[in-house]
Amino acid sequence: MAYLTTFFWGWLLGSLLLGLAMGWISIVQHGEGVSKNWKRWLAALAVVLVAAALSRVVPGRFGYWLDLGLIMFALYLCGCAVGSWLRDWVVSRNAPAA
Protein backbone atom coordinates (compact mmCIF):
# COMPACT_ATOMS: atom_id res chain seq x y z
CA MET A 1 0.00 0.00 0.00
CA ALA A 2 2.79 2.41 0.85
CA TYR A 3 4.43 1.57 -2.46
CA LEU A 4 1.24 2.48 -4.32
CA THR A 5 0.98 5.84 -2.58
CA THR A 6 4.62 6.76 -3.11
CA PHE A 7 4.82 5.62 -6.72
CA PHE A 8 1.36 6.72 -7.90
CA TRP A 9 0.89 9.83 -5.78
CA GLY A 10 0.25 11.94 -8.87
CA TRP A 11 -2.49 9.63 -10.13
CA LEU A 12 -4.03 9.42 -6.67
CA LEU A 13 -3.99 13.20 -6.33
CA GLY A 14 -5.49 13.46 -9.81
CA SER A 15 -8.37 11.14 -8.92
CA LEU A 16 -9.01 13.14 -5.75
CA LEU A 17 -8.99 16.44 -7.65
CA LEU A 18 -11.17 15.00 -10.40
CA GLY A 19 -13.67 13.87 -7.77
CA LEU A 20 -13.53 17.31 -6.17
CA ALA A 21 -14.28 18.95 -9.52
CA MET A 22 -17.10 16.54 -10.34
CA GLY A 23 -18.63 17.05 -6.91
CA TRP A 24 -18.43 20.81 -7.37
CA ILE A 25 -20.02 20.93 -10.83
CA SER A 26 -22.63 18.25 -10.31
CA ILE A 27 -26.19 19.27 -9.61
CA VAL A 28 -28.12 17.27 -7.08
CA GLN A 29 -31.02 15.54 -8.77
CA HIS A 30 -33.90 14.42 -6.65
CA GLY A 31 -34.93 11.56 -8.88
CA GLU A 32 -35.63 7.90 -8.36
CA GLY A 33 -32.00 6.90 -8.08
CA VAL A 34 -30.86 3.32 -7.81
CA SER A 35 -33.33 0.66 -6.72
CA LYS A 36 -32.83 -1.25 -3.48
CA ASN A 37 -32.05 -4.41 -5.40
CA TRP A 38 -29.25 -2.67 -7.32
CA LYS A 39 -27.93 -1.11 -4.12
CA ARG A 40 -27.62 -4.56 -2.56
CA TRP A 41 -25.80 -5.97 -5.59
CA LEU A 42 -23.42 -2.99 -5.74
CA ALA A 43 -22.74 -3.18 -2.00
CA ALA A 44 -22.06 -6.93 -2.30
CA LEU A 45 -19.72 -6.29 -5.25
CA ALA A 46 -17.85 -3.65 -3.26
CA VAL A 47 -17.51 -5.98 -0.26
CA VAL A 48 -16.24 -8.82 -2.47
CA LEU A 49 -13.69 -6.57 -4.18
CA VAL A 50 -12.38 -5.13 -0.91
CA ALA A 51 -12.24 -8.60 0.65
CA ALA A 52 -10.33 -9.90 -2.37
CA ALA A 53 -7.89 -7.02 -2.11
CA LEU A 54 -7.36 -7.44 1.63
CA SER A 55 -6.97 -11.21 1.50
CA ARG A 56 -4.73 -10.99 -1.59
CA VAL A 57 -6.70 -13.61 -3.46
CA VAL A 58 -5.90 -12.00 -6.80
CA PRO A 59 -2.16 -12.48 -7.43
CA GLY A 60 0.31 -10.56 -9.53
CA ARG A 61 -0.44 -7.71 -11.87
CA PHE A 62 -4.23 -8.02 -11.60
CA GLY A 63 -4.11 -7.83 -7.81
CA TYR A 64 -1.90 -4.76 -8.12
CA TRP A 65 -4.43 -3.16 -10.48
CA LEU A 66 -7.28 -4.10 -8.16
CA ASP A 67 -5.59 -2.41 -5.20
CA LEU A 68 -4.76 0.68 -7.23
CA GLY A 69 -8.26 0.88 -8.71
CA LEU A 70 -9.93 0.57 -5.32
CA ILE A 71 -7.72 3.27 -3.82
CA MET A 72 -8.32 5.60 -6.78
CA PHE A 73 -12.09 4.98 -6.67
CA ALA A 74 -12.20 5.64 -2.92
CA LEU A 75 -10.27 8.89 -3.34
CA TYR A 76 -12.56 9.89 -6.21
CA LEU A 77 -15.65 9.29 -4.06
CA CYS A 78 -14.13 11.26 -1.17
CA GLY A 79 -13.35 14.11 -3.58
CA CYS A 80 -16.93 14.02 -4.87
CA ALA A 81 -18.29 14.23 -1.34
CA VAL A 82 -16.00 17.11 -0.36
CA GLY A 83 -16.68 19.00 -3.61
CA SER A 84 -20.41 18.61 -3.19
CA TRP A 85 -20.23 19.75 0.42
CA LEU A 86 -18.07 22.76 -0.50
CA ARG A 87 -20.45 23.79 -3.28
CA ASP A 88 -23.40 23.53 -0.90
CA TRP A 89 -21.52 25.57 1.69
CA VAL A 90 -20.38 28.27 -0.73
CA VAL A 91 -23.37 28.58 -3.04
CA SER A 92 -26.27 27.99 -0.65
CA ARG A 93 -28.27 30.95 0.46
CA ASN A 94 -30.16 31.31 3.68
CA ALA A 95 -33.86 30.79 3.25
CA PRO A 96 -35.91 33.84 4.24
CA ALA A 97 -37.88 33.51 7.43
CA ALA A 98 -41.53 32.78 6.75
Side-chain angles (χ1 to χ4, degrees):
M1 186 72 71
Y3 176 75
L4 289 174
T5 57
T6 57
F7 189 71
F8 291 114
W9 68 269
W11 288 99
L12 297 175
L13 180 65
S15 66
L16 181 70
L17 293 177
L18 182 65
L20 186 73
M22 292 300 108
W24 180 268
I25 67 171
S26 67
I27 298 173
V28 176
Q29 177 184 359
H30 299 287
E32 292 180 24
V34 180
S35 68
K36 286 187 178 183
N37 195 20
W38 272 101
K39 285 180 187 177
R40 288 184 187 130
W41 280 105
L42 291 173
L45 176 66
V47 167
V48 167
L49 288 175
V50 170
L54 290 176
S55 64
R56 299 185 183 186
V57 173
V58 182
R61 181 178 292 177
F62 295 112
Y64 184 72
W65 289 345
L66 176 65
D67 291 347
L68 183 61
L70 287 174
I71 293 170
M72 289 180 73
F73 187 63
L75 286 174
Y76 174 78
L77 289 179
C78 290
C80 285
V82 169
S84 173
W85 174 75
L86 282 175
R87 180 182 170 102
D88 183 52
W89 184 63
V90 170
V91 176
S92 68
R93 294 181 177 87
N94 292 333

